[in-house]
Amino acid sequence: SIQVGAAALAGFNKYYLVAMKNWFDTQRRNCSIRYPFDIIHIHHYNNTTEAGQSTDWNKKALPPELSNFQEKLVDFKVFATKYFPGKKLYLGETGYDSNSQSPQGAVTIGEYLSEEVQGFWILRSYLFFLAAKWDKFFLYSLGDHASENSSEQYATSGIVKRFIWDN
């Protein structure tokens, strides 16, 4: 049997899911499958914006503790369990850039390079995810999409440098 995921939400947007629920409850009340998805996907990046995922170049990446990441995960899990019981929760995208000039970039802290801080913050984000008992965690991304000097948002989010097949 195949599992169907709802389109991913940028951030912990409860209002959108409530609107979806209200529409399904009204328009699909006679259907055997009222909510036509099995998985709720969230894309969230820890930073100074409440949206979590944003094109705001004034934002700054934050470690998960300073962005209340664990509280957001737990709060959203309680919400989803109440309104969509039995649905799985996937953190479909999260991460940090290793270039500190990116708005989503980890920073150098003391003797630790931004690449090391990126790793620390990813690991701590994963531990909060596990504590909140979500179903799946997806890191964005395995490999960088540009050179390490790129300050483009998400271009250096990989945990490995550019792939050998990249030009």
Side-chain angles (χ1 to χ4, degrees), residues 1-21:
S1 74
I2 190 167
Q3 298 233 312
V4 176
L9 300 173
F12 298 99
N13 189 338
K14 295 180 200 173
Y15 303 107
Y16 187 81
L17 281 174
V18 167
M20 284 175 56
K21 180 184 183 331

Side-chain angles (χ1 to χ4, degrees), residues 30-67:
N30 297 322
C31 294
S32 61
I33 300 174
R34 182 166 295 178
Y35 310 119
F37 54 87
D38 306 295
I39 302 160
I40 298 171
H41 288 266
I42 301 295
H43 294 183
H44 180 77
Y45 292 84
N46 295 306
N47 56 54
T48 55
T49 68
E50 279 302 309
Q53 188 172 6
S54 144
T55 56
D56 180 358
W57 278 81
N58 294 315
K59 73 178 179 192
K60 297 292 179 208
L62 289 174
E65 301 85 356
L66 294 182
S67 65

